[in-house]
């Protein structure tokens, strides 16, 4: 029984660490989007560069939602 409890805790810790990594990645990507928009005067160039980053941010948010629901963070 104790072994089972330890495995659950290790698994839970791994998932929480993954969640923290997702939050960190999301913040970093948002910062990059802001920097790109500040540094490019041509809106079409900025949009072209930012679009794949925004898509990745959307995927991260979706992944985060799964963890937030599992751990009742929302």
């Amino acid at each position: 029984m104790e072994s089972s409890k330890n495995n659950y805790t290790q698994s839970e810790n791994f998932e929480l660490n993954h969640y923290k990594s997702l939050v960190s990645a999301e913040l970093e990507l948002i910062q990059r989007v802001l920097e790109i928009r500040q540094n490019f005067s041509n809106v079409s160039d900025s949009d072209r560069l930012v679009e794949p980053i925004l898509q990745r941010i959307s995927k991260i948010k979706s992944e985060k939602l799964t963890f937030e629901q599992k751990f009742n963070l929302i």
Side-chain angles (χ1 to χ4, degrees), residues 19 60-72 74:
Y19 176 77
I60 288 172
K61 286 182 179 193
S62 177
E63 287 181 64
K64 278 179 33 192
L65 182 59
T66 302
F67 288 108
E68 291 167 350
Q69 290 171 336
K70 180 175 182 172
F71 293 109
N72 296 319
I74 53 172

Side-chain angles (χ1 to χ4, degrees), residues 25-37 43 45-62:
E26 180 184 21
L27 292 173
E28 184 177 326
L29 290 173
I30 290 170
Q31 182 61 37
R32 289 210 179 136
V33 166
L34 294 173
E35 290 171 1
I36 289 170
R37 288 190 171 149
V43 174
D45 286 343
S46 173
D47 288 346
R48 183 178 48 82
L49 292 170
V50 165
E51 184 57 33
I53 299 171
L54 293 176
Q55 289 174 3
R56 180 62 185 133
I57 291 170
S58 178
K59 288 178 185 177
I60 288 172
K61 286 182 179 193
S62 177

